[in-house]
Amino acid sequence: MQSIRTLALLAVLALPALAEDISIFNGTDLTGWEGNKDLWSVKEGTITGITPPDPADPTKGSIKHNTFLVWKGGTVGDFELTFQYRIEKGNSGVQYRSKELAPGAFGPIISGYQADFEAGKTYSGILYEERGRGILAKRGEKTVIKPGADGKKPVVEQAGTVGVSADIQAAIKSEDWNEYKIIAKGNHVQHFINGMQTIDVTDEDAANAPKEGLLALQIHQGPPMVVQFKSFKLTTLK
């Protein structure tokens, strides 16, 4: 009997871990992250990104392309990520399963899935593919992404809804802290803001669907803006 119990215990110990929590922000500085340090900093325990005003026209931002703060601690494939964000003006988001392109004059440039959010009332919660296939699900949508004919723009098929866009927007606090959650498992991705599901996407465009890649934070060209991030929890799923 003892040998059977021992074998059973050894079998359990041999199983691979199903999940692993990874620390990606120390709350103090940008150790483990790479980006334009004139635009990114840590203030009062939050990662803070800015699009500065153009000295010639303060209503416009001084950067001429979107740029990113890239986590250099590894890549993400199947995972869950929760974080809190706050934004003043402009547009931002979190890149995942992304890749780094040649840098621009204002810092790193990233292509891939983006969990979008903004100070406005249209794009928060959507799935957007930066420098790729564009909007893959609007807020409230459940979609299936199919390959386009002859490698052209993919077909976004409506497969239902996950909520009412206006209701989701109404639950987002303007210029205050909100909680965002991303779940990515295989070709299935989901976004949530303040506990409300915002999109559900099954990406069957196998040639273009990213399966693993970088994690990064965005600041957007356009009007001057401030975006802040804190309380990251990244869990990789095996």
Side-chain angles (χ1 to χ4, degrees), residues 62-184:
S62 62
I63 67 173
K64 306 306 178 186
H65 62 79
N66 299 346
T67 188
F68 301 82
L69 184 69
V70 185
W71 180 56
K72 290 296 185 176
T75 57
V76 293
D78 288 1
F79 70 96
E80 293 187 10
L81 173 68
T82 59
F83 60 93
Q84 293 185 26
Y85 76 88
R86 189 179 76 87
I87 187 168
E88 298 176 13
K89 300 182 180 179
N91 179 280
S92 182
V94 170
Q95 298 290 136
Y96 60 97
R97 293 184 176 179
S98 294
K99 59 184 178 182
E100 195 162 1
L101 307 180
F106 300 93
I109 294 177
I110 297 292
S111 171
Y113 283 153
Q114 181 184 111
D116 206 337
F117 62 86
E118 61 164 340
K121 299 183 181 299
T122 304
Y123 298 110
S124 294
I126 74 166
L127 177 61
Y128 178 73
E129 191 174 74
E130 178 88 2
R131 292 179 179 262
R133 295 170 293 169
I135 295 176
L136 300 179
K138 297 177 182 177
R139 189 172 56 214
E141 291 184 341
K142 183 175 184 179
T143 64
V144 178
I145 313 303
K146 301 285 190 178
D150 301 323
K152 296 181 180 179
K153 187 175 181 179
V155 176
V156 179
E157 295 184 352
Q158 301 302 309
T161 62
V162 296
V164 177
S165 179
D167 293 344
I168 298 168
Q169 178 61 47
I172 298 173
K173 292 170 280 188
S174 178
E175 296 193 357
D176 201 350
W177 291 102
N178 296 279
E179 184 179 85
Y180 213 124
K181 184 174 186 178
I182 305 165
I183 302 176

Side-chain angles (χ1 to χ4, degrees), residues 21-24 79-84 182 230-235:
D21 291 340
I22 298 177
S23 175
I24 64 174
F79 70 96
E80 293 187 10
L81 173 68
T82 59
F83 60 93
Q84 293 185 26
I182 305 165
K230 67 178 183 179
S231 302
F232 292 93
K233 181 182 178 182
L234 173 63
T235 302

Side-chain angles (χ1 to χ4, degrees), residues 185-209:
K185 298 179 181 179
N187 68 344
H188 185 212
V189 300
Q190 299 169 296
H191 297 170
F192 303 79
I193 298 180
N194 295 336
M196 300 182 71
Q197 187 168 357
T198 65
I199 61 95
D200 186 297
V201 174
T202 301
D203 196 342
E204 297 181 355
D205 183 13
N208 297 301

Side-chain angles (χ1 to χ4, degrees), residues 30 33-35 37 40 47 67-71 215-218:
L30 294 178
W33 295 82
E34 184 178 281
K37 298 302 172 62
W40 293 99
I47 294 178
T67 188
F68 301 82
L69 184 69
V70 185
W71 180 56
L215 189 69
L217 315 178
Q218 184 195 60

